[in-house]
């Protein structure tokens, strides 16, 4: 952490009439009249503009939820397809089937960091997300055409490779629009797509698989891929027109709303959400690689993901209650609906209180209680209650994501890489988690013991990270800087905030504190 900002290397590359350095004349907040009008805006009028801005933004970003649902379904429909003969039709043994599952994460991990570096540098991220979705929908549909193990491995690898663009990209886009006081709740709404998928994906698969066998001479599992892939592609086309781009150039917002959007982000952290013109393509990666906090979060988040690995085996865990196939699927859904509700409440509280650590740890502790119940008894009612307690532990997972964004706020290039690095590395937890639940004795007692220990490691990692941030906040109180700021970014901040100079903007930034 630099103790003094760098004011010597940068130079102002923007326009001299008060316009922002990036964006065209129509989208950038560069009109002098607009600057004067916004600078003199009374609080009541600003509140009205901000309310309109957030209403439009919330409406358009709600599509992320539907995209996440399809992202999850296209990734995991192979499990449902296996129940209707995929493995037999492709002449695969179990190790080959397991390879088809795990190979997806190879592509998923490889692409996340490059994708987020790219999306941070383009002007129309909505088109990038839409194009990626269209492509992964096509690849998912092609899964229904494969004839052998090799074909399925290839399709699954490229599916993970393309799907990797979505989640880190969506989190980055949200972090460019919403302040730290608003972000956790919006992340929770996004992740409800994942929770809803957990609740109903098995039912969707059952509906297709039970009614499409032999239709037009094709197996039902092939129809599952074709139908879900086609739905994904249809949604992708709409995403190109609905998803927002960046605060300075997003379509569908007034000039006044776009300026307020930029002003909000500058006020939130004390600096414009922009990269220096001097930064190269890989500068964000280099900055992230030098920050030890990211490695702590990578390890902590991976432990959390292993602890949450029960979600992929939830129907199997529900089946230990002793009910039939259909009742098991039906009973698997309510815990995830409950988890969605708890996640919204916890995220709202985290935003309102501006606190992260306890809003992560509390759901984990409740989840640990659920693990202990499952390990301690075979009573049906108690074990079903335990499933609810386990599922709600996802609430802390969502808060964790917003903690990542708020802990690496500037520059955006570093934040983009931090989100991708932590999320990509954590996918190793999904790979490891697939082996955790192969211990079926005594109602998966040993498996529950493993995930319980992973939750314990997560709490320790979060506590260590909190101590680091508390220490950094003490240094900020003493007058140090949280990050290095280049001159052109400081000048852009001064323009957004209507300050007299870049030096004044740098002084304003000193009010920043990490959220703990």
């Amino acid at each position: 952490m630099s103790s003094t900002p760098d004011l010597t290397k940068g130079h102002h590359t923007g326009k001299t009439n008060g316009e922002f350095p990036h964006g065209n004349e129509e989208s950038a907040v560069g009109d002098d009249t607009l600057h004067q009008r916004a600078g003199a805006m009374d609080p009541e009028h600003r509140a009205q503009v901000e309310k309109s801005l957030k209403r439009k933004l919330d409406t358009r970003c709600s599509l992320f939820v539907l995209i996440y649902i399809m992202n999850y379904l296209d990734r995991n429909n192979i499990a449902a397809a296996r129940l209707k003969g995929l493995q037999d039709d492709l002449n695969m043994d179990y190790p080959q089937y397991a390879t088809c599952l795990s190979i997806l994460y190879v592509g998923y991990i490889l692409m996340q960091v490059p994708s987020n570096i790219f999306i941070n540098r383009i002007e129309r991220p909505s088109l990038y997300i839409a194009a990626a979705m269209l492509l992964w929908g096509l690849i998912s549909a092609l899964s229904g055409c494969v004839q052998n193990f090799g074909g399925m491995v290839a399709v699954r690898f490229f599916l993970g490779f393309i799907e990797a663009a979505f989640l880190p990209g969506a989190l980055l886009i949200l972090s460019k629009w919403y302040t730290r006081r608003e972000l956790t709740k919006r992340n929770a709404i996004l992740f409800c797509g994942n929770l809803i998928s957990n609740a109903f994906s098995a039912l969707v698969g059952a509906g297709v698989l039970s009614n499409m066998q032999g239709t037009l001479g094709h197996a039902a599992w092939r129809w599952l891929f074709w139908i879900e892939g086609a739905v994904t592609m249809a949604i992708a086309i709409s995403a190109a027109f609905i998803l927002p781009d960046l605060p300075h150039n997003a379509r569908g917002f007034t000039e006044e709303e776009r300026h307020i959007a930029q002003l909000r982000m500058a006020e939130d952290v004390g600096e414009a959400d922009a990269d220096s013109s001097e930064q190269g393509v890989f500068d964000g990666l280099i900055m992230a690689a030098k920050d030890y906090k990211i490695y702590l979060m990578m390890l902590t988040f991976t432990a959390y993901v292993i602890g949450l690995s029960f979600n992929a085996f939830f129907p199997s865990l529900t089946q230990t209650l002793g009910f039939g196939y259909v009742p098991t699927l039906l009973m698997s859904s309510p815990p995830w609906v409950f988890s969605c509700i708890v996640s919204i409440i916890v995220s709202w509280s985290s935003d309102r209180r501006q606190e992260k650590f306890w809003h992560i740890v509390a759901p984990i502790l409740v989840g640990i209680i659920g693990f202990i119940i499952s390990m301690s008894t075979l009573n049906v009612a108690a074990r079903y209650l335990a499933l609810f307690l386990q599922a709600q532990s996802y609430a802390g997972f969502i808060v964790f994501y917003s903690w990542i964004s708020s802990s690496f706020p500037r520059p955006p290039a570093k934040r983009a890489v931090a989100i991708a690095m932590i999320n990509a590395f954590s996918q190793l937890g999904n790979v490891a988690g697939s082996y955790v639940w192969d211990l079926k004795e005594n109602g998966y007692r040993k498996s529950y013991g493993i995930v319980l220990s992973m939750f314990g490691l997560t709490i320790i990692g979060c506590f260590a990270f909190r101590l680091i941030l508390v220490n950094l906040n003490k240094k900020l109180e003493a007058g140090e800087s949280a990050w290095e700021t280049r001159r052109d970014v400081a000048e852009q901040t001064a323009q957004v905030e209507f300050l007299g100079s870049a030096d004044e903007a740098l002084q304003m930034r000193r009010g920043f504190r990490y959220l703990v």
Side-chain angles (χ1 to χ4, degrees), residues 113-127:
V113 172
S115 176
N116 250 30
I117 290 175
F118 179 74
I119 200 172
N120 183 61
R121 298 183 67 86
I122 60 177
E123 292 289 292
R124 297 294 182 189
S126 63
L127 299 181

Side-chain angles (χ1 to χ4, degrees), residues 111-399:
M111 187 56 179
Q112 287 205 25
V113 172
S115 176
N116 250 30
I117 290 175
F118 179 74
I119 200 172
N120 183 61
R121 298 183 67 86
I122 60 177
E123 292 289 292
R124 297 294 182 189
S126 63
L127 299 181
Y128 177 71
I129 294 291
M133 188 180 187
L134 187 67
L135 192 53
W136 94 56
L138 175 61
I139 294 172
S140 179
L142 290 176
S143 301
C145 301
V146 300
Q147 301 297 325
N148 52 48
F149 166 67
M152 184 59 74
V153 167
V155 166
R156 294 284 294 177
F157 172 81
F158 285 108
L159 180 63
F161 195 79
I162 302 301
E163 278 200 348
F166 170 66
L167 182 57
L171 292 171
L172 180 63
I173 292 172
L174 291 176
S175 73
K176 287 178 176 289
W177 283 94
Y178 291 105
T179 66
R180 293 181 298 161
R181 186 174 291 276
E182 302 163 342
L183 187 59
T184 307
K185 185 168 66 175
R186 268 67 180 193
N187 281 352
I189 295 172
L190 168 64
F191 276 91
C192 278
N194 178 270
L195 299 177
I196 292 170
S197 297
N198 281 328
F200 299 109
S201 60
L203 299 180
V204 172
V208 174
L209 294 172
S210 61
N211 293 292
M212 299 297 292
Q213 183 64 32
T215 301
L216 299 180
H218 298 294
W221 66 265
R222 296 187 185 275
W223 282 107
L224 179 65
F225 288 117
W226 292 336
I227 292 173
E228 291 186 355
V231 172
T232 297
M233 288 188 283
I235 295 172
I237 295 172
S238 66
F241 300 96
I242 296 175
L243 293 180
D245 288 306
L246 303 174
H248 74 275
N249 70 349
R251 296 160 292 182
F253 297 90
T254 66
E255 290 281 347
E256 202 170 39
E257 288 169 344
R258 283 198 290 267
H259 179 74
I260 291 298
Q262 295 169 81
L263 183 61
R264 280 161 29 90
M265 300 309 295
E267 290 174 341
D268 184 45
V269 175
E271 180 175 304
D273 193 26
D275 291 309
S276 170
S277 60
E278 293 186 342
Q279 287 181 3
V281 175
F282 299 107
D283 280 9
L285 177 61
I286 294 171
M287 285 185 282
K290 292 179 179 179
D291 193 333
Y292 68 95
K293 299 193 301 297
I294 290 178
Y295 298 103
L296 175 59
M297 295 203 88
M298 287 167 62
L299 295 173
T300 302
F301 205 38
T302 301
Y304 204 168
V305 170
I306 296 175
L308 292 171
S309 60
F310 62 83
N311 76 309
F313 299 86
F314 210 74
S316 298
L317 299 178
T318 308
Q319 196 173 36
T320 63
L321 302 178
F323 297 97
Y325 177 70
V326 174
T328 293
L329 291 179
L330 293 174
M331 293 176 70
S332 296
S333 299
W336 293 111
V337 175
F338 175 71
S339 177
C340 192
I341 295 171
V342 172
S343 296
I344 294 293
I345 294 172
V346 170
S347 299
W348 173 83
S349 175
S350 176
D351 277 345
R352 186 171 183 270
R353 299 175 183 274
Q354 290 292 276
E355 198 280 337
K356 301 298 181 184
F357 174 75
W358 287 110
H359 286 83
I360 295 172
V361 170
I364 291 176
L365 292 174
V366 175
I368 288 176
I369 294 174
F371 293 157
I372 293 174
I373 293 174
S374 295
M375 294 170 65
S376 305
T377 180
L378 294 177
N379 179 271
V380 173
R383 289 179 68 85
Y384 191 49
L385 172 64
L387 293 178
F388 281 81
L389 301 182
Q390 294 163 29
Q392 66 76 48
S393 58
Y394 255 90
F397 183 77
I398 295 168
V399 178

